[in-house]
């Protein structure tokens, strides 16, 4: 029996889902795994191992208050359990921990009243517990063990008063505590509002690396614009190690007054201490670096970390397993920043559907890559009609290492525990939190990406109790369970005796390490199982006398895999005749057969039609979806050759077509003339010209966006709000016009920006009535993240207004982003949230015209030397003197009246021309001519006569 690397085999299976080859981080919608995919959580969500089986589950609240557990059970589907209503409206805060030590984690949530749903011993029901003195406007909440007695305590942010803390009595009940004095400004108020209110986001973390947990509170009292107001200055309560805490944010570089929504801590520079990020309501975010003692410096400048969204949630996690934590922020939309490992971050786009407000993270298919559970809300907590989405991570070839910690002396969920892993990367640090950011909680599985490294030197675990454990040389790519002061699990991994892609009727043997007790995800209990069905398979192994069980990473077996190739084509598959559209097949396949007969990975479509690619899959051939290509013809021009008889002259060439261009060369160059006719210069040899026809295909126009404003809230909620409407451009086009509505006439300047905040175009518009069609004709190139706004400095000059807002009507009724404008453009939202539509209505967008040029058709002017041209003397016309040095006399009879007399130099350039009149003698002045030989040509009644004239000086 042959053993295969299941990590690589799993990766091969995942490539069937058509992951872009260039994407290191990618996610896909896996809502089909849920019993109820149409679910609407709002703000508060959690991913956590709720039943301690080693698999992350989903804890979610229908409409923000009705509790459901989605249990990951190894079948590829989640088992849904409805626990009960937690009461009240949509929750603002949420966190999860086992408060009564029954093996099931309990759920705290609230907004107006703080409650805990204590999950029963069988995980099928719950008992609702109301926190004493728990009725207040709660924002974020946390479980932590503040007094280190092994029982989870509770902290909650209060928006209208100082924060609150409750201690666990050792039976899962709670009492109000003053272990921390949150009223650092006792008795001080602003308009009756306590100075210690405005508490929004919170996290318990050992920020100063001294072995005990500290508390950071992000403060954002929105009613004040004073940067010195304590209600908006973040605080840090440092644990003194003796049951007391001291506020010391200012000296630590954490006393931010920018109205912070969230602060989050993680080791983004891999130096063994916890750094931070801060997201702000109206100002740029901050990237902060810890010096190892809990003193932070701002490292934002040049880091690439910037936001163009209203931020609600944030987290730092290694999503691509390269060994460095990335940043994910969401609010009115999501923004993802990849950690480059050198103090800089690169924003990646297109990872999630637009409008993602909140999320929680964990490993929802147990493959060693961190996934995202996303929810959509009207800022802040009211769920929208958009379904929550399970975004599973496509993964890649990087290695990982996960720790599943369980406390005995410490709290059983190991909240506050830290782990350091050492290897070629140096050191990585992870820390367990329950509740962070703004109303969410993430997996307590400590996750480490290893990049290409497949070995770990050592692991050091520091438990909240003060106990430290060191593990030497643990295997990579495993979920290792460690129970405090008890045991370390064996390494659980699965090997296969062949590829994980099998055909109908075939089976595959999966094996676990020998010498343990086994429980496979399909219920089998042998060391080896034979499988013939598509599924995710993993095994739990237990050593005799060892309480630490481990669950292997899942391997995905696919029966009769759908290996339909995906053809990559340009966004625009229309081009002019003579060109082509390149179509790309997936790399590395054994065979390619295109519908045009090509057998290479890529082909060029040069004729209109539908193109498909057929490849040989594991079990059968597969044909791609068709790509429609349109080749636009330009009719060849029709032109005629002509002849010039010796000794030379010019002709007028004609051609017919849509729009004619004349050239002197078959390729390149600039036109020498335009139009249906072209008069050549005097020619003394056969000469070829080239004519080209242009055909213009007019671009189609489309309208979209809201047609007009409606509702009862038509103007910006704040006179300082100068909103942005964001949109993506799908094809080259021109934004022609839109309508605006106002009750305040005056000049506005409409501005167009790209995603990098570069001003691309602007238009000054004098709005004279309550509505107006604004024509801007802004050219647009394909891309994402464009936005329209107005110039706030101009808005300030609107008579009798004096505000940054443009005083243009908005809409908050029945919105459903995106609004597509044909196939050209998609209006994706506003910077004030997707529950508001701003300023610009009934967009008119026109696709760019396509101009197609025909092949150039040669047109020849033949120089005819076979015709004998008589001398002018034979016509009875004489020239004298000849040679001449001044004037030349032309002597003719009256019968030559109306004849054309022309003189050419040796280059064929005409230097003189006249029409003879009735006089017998006419004089030609040659003073301006150079000495040399000239040709005199007389044209009379269709006859031509020539003579030579010599000038001497």
């Amino acid at each position: 029996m042959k053993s295969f690397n299941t990590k690589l085999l799993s990766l091969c299976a995942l490539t069937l889902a058509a992951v872009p080859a260039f994407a290191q981080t990618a996610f896909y919608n896996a809502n089909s795994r849920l019993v109820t995919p149409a679910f609407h959580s709002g703000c508060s969500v959690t991913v956590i191992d709720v039943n301690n089986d080693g698999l992350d589950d989903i804890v979610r609240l229908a409409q923000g208050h009705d509790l459901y557990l989605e249990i990951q059970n190894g079948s590829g589907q989640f088992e849904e359990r409805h626990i009960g209503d937690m009461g009240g409206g949509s929750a603002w805060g949420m966190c999860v921990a086992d408060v009564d030590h029954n093996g099931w984690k309990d759920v705290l949530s609230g907004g107006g009243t703080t409650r805990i749903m204590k999950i029963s011993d069988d995980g099928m029901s719950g008992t609702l517990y109301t926190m004493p003195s728990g009725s207040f406007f709660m924002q974020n909440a946390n479980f932590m063990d503040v007094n280190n007695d092994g029982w989870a305590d509770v902290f909650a942010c209060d928006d209208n008063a100082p924060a609150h803390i409750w201690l666990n009595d050792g039976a899962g009940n709670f009492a109000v505590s003053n272990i921390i004095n949150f009223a650092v400004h006792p008795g001080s108020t602003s308009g009756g509002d306590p100075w210690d209110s405005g508490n929004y986001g919170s996290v318990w973390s050992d920020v100063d690396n001294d072995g005990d947990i500290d508390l950071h509170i992000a403060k954002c009292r929105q009613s004040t614009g004073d940067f010195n107001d304590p209600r908006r200055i973040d605080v840090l309560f440092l644990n003194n190690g003796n049951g007391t805490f001291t506020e010391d944010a200012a000296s630590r570089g954490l006393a931010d007054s920018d109205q912070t929504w969230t602060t989050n801590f993680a080791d983004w520079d891999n130096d063994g201490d916890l750094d931070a990020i801060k997201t702000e309501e109206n100002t740029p975010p901050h990237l902060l670096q810890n010096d190892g003692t809990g003193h932070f410096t701002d490292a934002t400048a040049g880091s690439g970390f910037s936001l163009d969204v209203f931020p609600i949630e944030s987290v730092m996690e290694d999503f691509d397993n390269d060994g460095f934590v990335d940043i994910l922020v969401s609010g009115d939309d999501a923004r993802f920043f990849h950690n480059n490992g050198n103090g800089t971050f690169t924003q990646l786009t297109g990872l999630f559907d637009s409008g993602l407000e909140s999320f929680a993270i964990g490993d929802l298919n147990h493959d060693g890559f961190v996934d995202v559970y996303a929810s959509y809300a009207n800022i802040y907590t009211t769920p929208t009609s958009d379904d929550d989405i399970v975004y599973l991570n496509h993964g890649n070839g990087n290695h990982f290492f996960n720790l599943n910690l369980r406390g005995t002396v410490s709290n059983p969920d190991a909240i506050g525990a830290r782990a350091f892993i050492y290897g070629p990367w140096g050191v990585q640090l992870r820390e367990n939190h329950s509740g962070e950011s703004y109303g969410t909680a993430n997996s307590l599985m400590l996750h480490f990406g290893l990049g290409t490294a497949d070995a770990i030197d050592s692991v050091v675990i520091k438990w909240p109790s003060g106990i430290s454990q060191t593990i030497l040389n643990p295997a990579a790519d495993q979920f290792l369970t460690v129970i405090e002061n008890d045991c370390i699990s064996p390494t659980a991994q699965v090997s296969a005796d062949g590829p994980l892609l099998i055909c109908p009727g075939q089976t595959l043997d999966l094996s676990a390490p020998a010498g343990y007790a086994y429980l496979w995800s399909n219920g089998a209990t042998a060391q080896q199982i034979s499988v013939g069905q598509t599924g995710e398979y993993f095994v739990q192994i237990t050593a005799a006398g060892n309480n630490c069980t481990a669950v292997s990473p899942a391997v995905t077996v696919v029966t009769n895999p759908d290996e339909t190739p995906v053809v990559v084509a340009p966004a625009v598959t229309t081009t002019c005749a003579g060109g082509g559209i390149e179509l790309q097949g997936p790399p590395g396949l054994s065979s390619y057969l295109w519908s045009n007969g090509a057998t290479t990975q890529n082909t060029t479509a040069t004729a209109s039609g539908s193109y498909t690619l057929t490849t040989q899959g594991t079990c059968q051939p597969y044909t791609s979806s068709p790509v429609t290509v349109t080749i636009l013809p330009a009719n060849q021009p029709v032109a005629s050759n002509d002849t010039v008889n010796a000794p030379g002259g010019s002709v007028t060439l004609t051609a017919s077509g849509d729009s004619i261009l004349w050239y002197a060369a078959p390729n390149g160059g600039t036109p020498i003339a335009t139009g249906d006719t072209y008069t050549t210069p005097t020619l003394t040899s056969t000469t070829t010209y080239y004519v080209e026809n242009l055909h213009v295909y007019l671009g189609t126009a489309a309208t979209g966006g809201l047609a007009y404003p409606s509702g009862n809230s038509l103007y910006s909620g704040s006179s300082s709000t100068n909103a942005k409407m964001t949109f993506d451009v799908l094809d080259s086009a021109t934004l022609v016009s839109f309508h605006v509505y106002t009750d305040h006439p005056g000049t506005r300047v409409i501005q167009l920006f790209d995603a990098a905040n570069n001003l691309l175009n602007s238009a000054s518009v004098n709005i004279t009535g309550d509505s107006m069609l604004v024509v801007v004709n802004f050219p647009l190139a394909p891309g994402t993240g464009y936005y329209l706004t107005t110039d706030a400095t101009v808005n300030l000059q609107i008579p009798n207004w004096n505000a940054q807002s443009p005083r243009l009507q908005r809409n908050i009724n029945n919105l459903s982003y995106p609004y597509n404008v044909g196939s050209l453009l998609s209006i994706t939202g506003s910077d004030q949230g997707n529950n508001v539509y701003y300023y610009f209505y009934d967009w008119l967008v026109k696709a760019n015209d396509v101009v197609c040029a025909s092949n150039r058709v040669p047109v020849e002017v033949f120089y005819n030397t076979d015709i004998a041209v008589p001398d002018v003397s034979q016509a009875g016309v004489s020239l004298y003197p000849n040679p001449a040095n001044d004037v030349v006399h032309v002597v003719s009879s009256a019968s030559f009246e109306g004849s054309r007399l022309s003189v050419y130099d040796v280059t064929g350039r005409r230097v003189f021309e006249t029409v003879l009149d009735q006089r017998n003698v006419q004089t030609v002045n040659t003073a301006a001519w150079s000495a040399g030989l000239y040709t005199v040509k007389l044209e009379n009644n269709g006859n031509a006569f020539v003579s030579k004239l010599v000038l001497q000086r």
Side-chain angles (χ1 to χ4, degrees):
M1 181 179 295
K2 187 176 180 181
S3 177
F4 285 76
N5 185 321
T6 55
K7 181 72 177 178
L8 295 178
L9 293 170
S10 296
L11 178 62
C12 292
L14 288 175
T15 61
L16 302 178
V19 184
F22 56 84
Q24 281 199 332
T25 304
F27 300 87
Y28 63 97
N29 185 320
N31 272 14
S32 60
R33 295 170 178 251
L34 298 169
V35 175
T36 307
F39 199 95
H40 309 103
S41 296
C43 179
S44 297
V45 292
T46 292
V47 171
I48 202 165
D49 179 6
V50 72
N51 58 351
N52 290 324
D53 65 350
L55 305 174
D56 278 334
D57 311 300
I58 302 168
V59 180
R60 57 185 187 169
L61 303 169
Q63 295 302 313
H65 59 84
D66 197 9
L67 178 62
Y68 286 77
L69 305 181
E70 311 297 334
I71 306 299
Q72 185 183 174
N73 57 22
S75 67
Q77 297 293 119
F78 286 88
E79 175 192 340
E80 183 174 276
R81 298 187 184 184
H82 180 212
I83 303 301
D85 200 321
M86 299 196 66
S90 184
W92 292 68
M94 186 182 195
C95 53
V96 178
D98 186 358
V99 302
D100 52 10
H101 292 199
N102 72 339
W104 281 81
K105 292 181 177 62
D106 310 297
V107 181
L108 180 146
S109 74
T113 301
T114 306
R115 300 181 176 94
I116 297 177
M117 183 69 78
K118 298 181 179 181
I119 308 300
S120 62
D121 293 355
D122 60 2
M124 302 302 294
S125 61
T127 301
L128 197 59
Y129 174 87
T130 300
M131 299 295 288
S133 303
S135 295
F136 57 90
F137 187 10
M138 187 185 83
Q139 302 280 337
N140 193 51
N142 311 86
F143 281 115
M144 72 297 175
D145 188 358
V146 69
N147 57 359
N148 230 0
D149 64 353
W151 292 81
D153 307 309
V154 174
F155 166 85
C157 288
D158 191 332
D159 197 6
N160 297 320
H164 305 269
I165 197 165
W166 295 266
L167 295 184
N168 194 322
D169 66 357
N173 301 305
F174 294 86
V176 175
S177 171
N178 61 358
I179 190 171
I180 300 178
N181 177 20
F182 296 114
V184 294
H185 304 93
S188 298
T189 63
S190 295
D193 191 9
W195 274 10
D196 295 302
S197 61
N199 305 289
Y200 268 49
S202 56
V203 63
W204 290 78
S205 179
D206 183 4
V207 301
D208 56 0
N209 249 11
D210 66 352
D212 47 39
I213 55 172
D214 312 300
L215 168 64
H216 183 275
I217 303 175
K219 295 170 74 73
C220 182
R221 194 59 166 161
Q222 297 183 63
S223 60
T224 176
D226 181 1
F227 278 79
N228 296 315
D229 192 318
R231 296 172 297 172
R232 57 182 286 168
I233 300 176
D234 302 344
V235 293
L236 172 67
F237 291 94
L238 286 178
N239 193 328
N240 299 317
N242 59 3
T244 65
F245 290 76
T246 301
E247 201 289 311
D248 195 28
S251 73
R252 302 288 174 153
L254 293 176
D256 189 343
S257 63
D258 283 342
Q259 292 193 324
T260 310
W261 275 83
T262 68
T263 301
N264 232 307
F265 294 90
D267 186 8
W268 55 255
D269 57 3
N270 283 358
D271 63 352
D273 55 46
L274 295 176
D275 311 298
I277 56 173
K278 284 175 174 280
T279 65
E280 316 290 353
E281 180 175 358
N282 294 312
T283 55
H286 300 288
L287 182 73
L288 302 172
Q289 191 167 34
N290 194 333
D291 69 351
T293 66
H295 294 83
F296 293 81
T297 55
D298 197 316
T300 314
S303 69
F305 179 44
S306 64
L307 292 173
D308 58 354
V309 296
F310 188 97
I312 300 294
E313 311 291 2
S314 68
V315 77
M316 288 182 279
E317 182 57 86
D318 187 356
F319 288 95
D320 61 354
N321 285 0
D322 67 349
F324 294 91
V325 295
D326 310 303
I327 300 173
L328 177 58
V329 176
S330 70
D332 52 359
D333 203 0
R335 294 292 183 265
F336 185 97
F337 297 87
H338 175 260
N339 190 332
N340 300 318
N342 59 1
T344 68
F345 293 78
T346 300
Q347 183 175 342
L348 304 183
T349 60
L351 301 185
F352 308 100
D353 287 352
S354 62
L356 191 160
E357 181 182 299
S358 187
F359 64 87
I361 62 171
D363 192 344
L364 294 174
N365 60 347
H366 206 65
D367 67 346
F369 286 85
V370 175
D371 310 305
V372 176
Y373 185 86
S375 63
Y376 298 79
N378 289 320
I379 295 177
Y380 305 104
T381 65
T382 303
T384 67
S385 58
D386 294 326
D387 297 341
D388 294 3
I389 296 179
V390 174
Y391 282 108
L392 291 186
N393 193 326
H394 271 299
N396 53 42
N398 287 337
H399 299 282
F400 74 94
F401 178 73
N402 277 15
L403 278 171
N404 179 22
L405 303 182
R406 299 181 186 174
T408 54
V409 181
S410 303
N411 66 88
D413 301 314
I415 300 168
R418 317 176 98 204
F420 303 79
I421 70 167
Y422 298 86
W425 52 83
V427 59
Q428 295 184 48
L429 165 62
R430 302 290 185 267
E431 182 180 71
N432 262 340
H433 308 142
S434 178
E436 54 194 315
S437 196
Y438 187 74
T440 62
N442 301 309
S443 174
L444 294 175
M445 192 83 68
L446 295 181
H447 170 77
F448 301 85
L450 306 182
T452 58
D454 58 3
I456 301 168
D457 176 76
S458 58
V459 176
V460 176
I461 302 169
K462 294 187 176 181
W463 299 88
S465 64
I467 294 172
S468 179
Q469 285 181 258
T470 299
I471 304 167
L472 299 178
N473 302 315
D477 298 325
Q478 68 160 319
F479 297 84
L480 188 68
T481 299
V482 180
I483 298 179
E484 183 184 20
N485 254 0
D486 189 340
C487 59
I488 299 172
S489 70
T491 298
Q493 292 178 328
V494 174
S495 60
D497 71 342
L500 299 180
L501 310 180
I502 58 177
C503 299
Q506 293 180 336
T507 59
L508 180 70
D509 288 340
L510 303 178
S511 301
Y516 302 100
Y518 309 97
L519 177 61
W520 289 85
S521 52
N522 64 355
T525 57
Q527 178 193 354
Q528 178 179 298
I529 61 173
S530 183
V531 299
Q533 299 295 323
T534 293
E536 294 168 356
Y537 296 90
F538 51 79
V539 64
Q540 176 182 289
I541 66 173
T542 306
N546 190 332
N547 293 320
C548 289
T549 61
V551 181
S552 73
V555 295
T556 301
V557 176
V558 179
T559 304
N560 194 21
D562 181 359
E563 297 170 282
T564 302
V566 175
V567 173
V568 177
V572 179
T573 56
T574 298
T575 191
C576 297
I581 300 296
E582 185 180 9
L583 306 177
Q584 299 179 350
L589 302 184
S590 60
S591 65
Y592 301 89
L593 179 60
W594 293 90
S595 53
N596 64 354
T599 57
T600 53
Q601 177 189 339
N602 303 331
T603 189
T604 300
T606 57
S608 294
S610 292
Y611 290 78
T612 59
L613 171 63
T614 299
T615 60
Q616 179 60 49
T618 302
C619 304
Q620 65 188 56
Y622 286 90
T623 300
S624 70
S625 298
V627 175
T628 300
V629 171
T630 302
I631 304 296
L632 301 174
N635 295 327
Q636 298 287 89
V638 177
S640 300
N641 298 329
D642 209 335
T643 300
V644 169
N645 292 321
S650 67
V651 298
T652 298
L653 300 175
T654 62
S656 61
D658 301 293
S659 180
I660 299 297
L661 301 178
W662 298 86
Y663 292 88
N667 298 294
T670 57
I672 57 176
T674 61
D676 294 346
T677 62
Y678 169 57
T679 300
T680 72
T682 297
L683 302 177
T684 59
S685 63
T686 296
T687 305
T688 303
Y689 295 95
Y690 299 87
V691 63
E692 179 180 272
N693 180 43
L694 300 182
H695 184 86
V696 179
Y697 291 87
L698 298 178
T700 58
T703 59
L706 282 187
Y708 50 82
S710 62
N712 298 320
S713 180
L714 297 177
Y715 294 101
S716 299
S718 167
S719 62
S720 64
T721 300
N722 181 32
K724 306 170 183 176
M725 286 297 288
T726 59
F727 61 95
D728 298 336
V729 179
L730 310 177
D731 196 354
S732 297
T734 297
L735 174 55
V736 178
S737 65
F738 42 75
H739 283 83
V740 295
Y741 298 81
T742 186
D743 66 348
H744 225 82
T747 297
R748 315 295 200 277
V749 171
I750 312 298
Q751 295 178 316
L752 170 67
F753 289 85
D754 64 14
N757 299 313
N758 297 309
L759 177 63
L760 303 180
N761 221 320
S762 64
S764 180
V765 181
N766 183 23
I767 302 174
T768 57
D770 58 1
S771 66
M772 184 171 174
L773 174 68
V774 176
V775 178
V776 292
N777 286 319
F778 290 162
L780 302 171
T784 60
Y786 290 95
Y787 63 89
L788 274 183
T789 186
T790 65
D791 189 329
T793 59
V794 175
N795 298 339
L796 287 166
Q797 300 168 15
I798 300 173
N800 303 316
W801 179 229
N802 194 35
Q804 296 183 74
S805 165
R807 190 76 182 192
L808 299 176
Q809 290 188 1
R810 68 179 186 179
N811 193 300
I812 62 172
N813 294 331
N814 303 317
L815 300 181
S816 181
Y817 288 103
Y819 292 94
N820 293 326
V821 185
S823 61
L824 302 174
L825 183 147
S826 179
I827 304 171
T828 55
S830 86
D831 68 327
Q832 304 298 309
N834 287 353
N835 58 332
V836 191
Y837 184 104
Y838 281 93
Y839 309 154
F840 312 111
Y841 297 85
D842 189 26
W843 295 29
L844 173 62
V845 180
K846 179 182 176 295
N848 290 347
D849 297 340
V850 178
V851 180
C852 291
S854 71
N855 292 329
R856 294 182 188 176
V857 173
V859 184
E860 285 194 299
V861 181
F862 296 98
Y863 186 71
N864 188 353
T865 60
D866 295 334
I867 299 176
V869 180
D871 190 272
V872 294
S873 62
Q874 295 179 253
V877 177
S878 61
L879 307 173
Y880 74 90
N882 187 5
N885 57 16
D886 188 5
V887 296
V888 174
H889 302 286
V890 179
V891 180
S892 64
S893 66
S895 62
F896 282 92
E897 180 180 355
S899 298
R900 182 178 300 277
L901 181 73
S902 304
V903 181
Y904 300 90
D905 65 16
V906 292
T907 68
R909 182 174 61 91
R910 185 167 52 209
V911 297
F912 177 80
E913 183 179 67
T914 189
V915 176
L916 300 181
D917 55 23
Q918 73 276 12
R919 292 174 297 171
N920 290 333
V921 178
Q922 296 192 39
T923 300
V924 179
N925 188 347
T926 69
W929 304 356
S930 300
L933 180 65
Y934 290 82
T935 299
V936 180
K937 182 177 181 182
L938 178 68
E939 297 172 274
N940 174 255
N941 296 325
N943 298 311
F945 306 89
V946 298
S947 183
K948 299 299 180 182
L949 172 67
V950 177
L951 289 184
Q952 297 176 338
R953 294 287 187 252

